[in-house]
Amino acid sequence: VMGNPTPDYVVCEGEGPIELEVSNATQPGPGASLGYQWERRIQGETDWVPVLTNGTGPTLSLDIITSSASYRRITYVVNGQCEVISAPVHIWYNTYDAGEISWDTNQLVDTLSVCADSGVPQAISSQDGNGPNYPGVGLVWLWQYSEDGGQSWTDMGVKGPSPVYPGLPSNLSGSLELRRLAFSQWTIDGQTWECTLEGKASNSLYLEVQPAVDGGSIDASVLSQSLCDDASLPAAITVTDANDTATLPLAYQWERFNTTNGLWEAMLGETGVSLVFTTSNRPAVSTTYRRATYLRDTNLGNICVSYTTNEAQIQVFTIDAGQVAVSDSYVCFGDQTTLFDVSSP
């Protein structure tokens, strides 16, 4: 390569044109007329092929480079039998892509909403990019995040050979954008080339950290209730909340505990702030209740669930008053009083 007499040279994607020359070639004697023919061998192939375009001059100009190849020049004496072949120069074409990142291992998911009190999931490198084709050369990576919509970026660690997500720092804002930069650094015979010094960026991932949701606390006055009359209704179970309901889009779901299978079950239609009892939802047996509080997301539905820390119990007592039973008898003045028996329920 003109100005850089080295047997290996890296051409970055989009770079060009470059011009090849042969240095320290033997000069012809008086009266000799020389001719030239440049040849090319594509990397991975064995045959040398003449360069047809501009390939017969003392130098060779390469305007468009799209693949790695070796070049050499044949010098011959016109109308003579002598020819010599130069040592080849290897032109390495450096093209690569940054790959693709995702929140999901099976498909591209670029937007995620998580709760402040839950861990941020691992960003996945779903495609690590195509590296250059020089033997032993790979890509190095650097993850970055932005808190201002991509106006500025902060490095997460340093460049390294692993494309794996290193994890976010703590105490970040609620809205983040992530990306991964890929770099191609080549060192051949002590000379280093680095194409795209700023790196090639992958697609972006977006993370919304939702505020923590407080489950609230069931009011003490209704934590424990008892029912004896089949016609009576329990007092409504009310909850004292610590959430800012003016700014947080909250949703609720009341649940009751199933003693048969040991699971909490959602009560159909009971999605209010309080649980108000009617004849249709009045407990027939002793039952334990609690309320789940969610943050409502327009796209994802109910997220950030936080159950109440306490539970309300309603005990249902079924008491049969029984019947007074007595045999037919007459009581005379002075006789002992007959005892009445009440049959047990």
Side-chain angles (χ1 to χ4, degrees):
V1 178
M2 190 170 291
N4 191 342
T6 175
D8 293 280
Y9 189 83
V10 175
V11 176
C12 299
E13 183 178 8
E15 181 183 349
I18 64 172
E19 190 167 0
L20 304 182
E21 66 175 353
V22 176
S23 60
N24 302 321
T26 301
Q27 299 301 316
S33 178
L34 298 183
Y36 306 97
Q37 178 60 62
W38 288 86
E39 293 183 325
R40 178 179 66 179
R41 183 176 64 189
I42 301 297
Q43 186 194 14
E45 299 182 3
T46 57
D47 296 332
W48 288 90
V49 178
V51 177
L52 300 179
T53 303
N54 301 323
T56 58
T59 62
L60 176 63
S61 180
L62 301 175
D63 295 329
I64 300 176
I65 299 176
T66 58
S67 61
S68 297
S70 297
Y71 293 86
R72 69 183 184 182
R73 190 187 72 182
I74 299 175
T75 304
Y76 58 90
V77 177
V78 177
N79 298 323
Q81 301 298 318
C82 300
E83 70 175 29
V84 290
I85 301 175
S86 71
V89 61
H90 307 290
I91 303 298
W92 301 99
Y93 179 58
N94 186 358
T95 179
Y96 68 99
D97 66 79
E100 186 176 77
I101 56 177
S102 175
W103 292 115
D104 190 278
T105 56
N106 300 316
Q107 59 185 332
L108 176 60
V109 177
D110 58 9
T111 302
L112 189 67
S113 184
V114 299
C115 309
D117 53 357
S118 64
V120 177
Q122 190 87 351
I124 301 299
S125 173
S126 58
Q127 201 271 317
D128 283 341
N130 296 319
N133 53 10
Y134 181 80
V137 175
L139 301 179
V140 292
W141 314 89
L142 176 65
W143 286 78
Q144 295 180 321
Y145 69 89
S146 173
E147 298 182 89
D148 55 12
Q151 297 298 314
S152 61
W153 294 90
T154 301
D155 294 345
M156 299 162 60
V158 296
K159 293 180 186 177
S162 174
V164 177
Y165 170 70
L168 283 169
S170 58
N171 301 322
L172 296 176
S173 64
S175 179
L176 295 174
E177 183 176 350
L178 301 176
R179 71 179 184 183
R180 187 186 60 186
L181 300 180
F183 301 85
S184 178
Q185 296 175 326
W186 296 32
T187 300
I188 306 174
D189 294 332
Q191 183 170 351
T192 299
W193 288 268
E194 182 169 7
C195 296
T196 317
L197 296 179
E198 69 278 10
K200 286 188 178 181
S202 69
N203 59 306
S204 289
L205 298 183
Y206 303 93
L207 179 68
E208 293 290 336
V209 182
Q210 304 292 351
V213 174
D214 179 72
S217 178
I218 294 178
D219 295 332
S221 60
V222 290
L223 275 177
S224 180
Q225 301 185 61
S226 299
L227 294 180
C228 296
D229 184 356
D230 289 343
S232 62
L233 296 176
I237 301 178
T238 55
V239 179
T240 298
D241 285 299
N243 298 305
D244 184 2
T245 56
T247 59
L248 294 179
L250 299 179
Y252 307 100
Q253 176 62 62
W254 284 91
E255 299 177 337
R256 58 189 165 204
F257 187 73
N258 187 325
T259 57
T260 301
N261 58 22
L263 300 175
W264 287 95
E265 299 176 345
M267 300 175 64
L268 183 63
E270 300 298 343
T271 57
V273 176
S274 301
L275 178 58
V276 179
F277 291 97
T278 64
T279 54
S280 61
N281 67 357
R282 178 193 186 277
V285 296
S286 297
T287 307
T288 302
Y289 298 90
R290 70 180 183 184
R291 191 194 71 181
T293 303
Y294 300 84
L295 187 65
R296 181 72 181 171
D297 185 273
T298 304
N299 298 317
L300 303 176
N302 292 342
I303 61 173
C304 301
V305 58
S306 176
Y307 292 120
T308 54
T309 57
N310 53 350
E311 303 161 359
Q313 293 182 333
I314 297 179
Q315 292 182 307
V316 178
F317 297 100
T318 302
I319 301 177
D320 189 341
Q323 295 179 341
V324 177
V326 62
S327 303
D328 293 338
S329 60
Y330 296 94
V331 178
C332 298
F333 180 78
D335 291 347
Q336 184 177 358
T337 304
T338 301
L339 296 177
F340 295 93
D341 177 45
V342 178
S343 61
S344 300

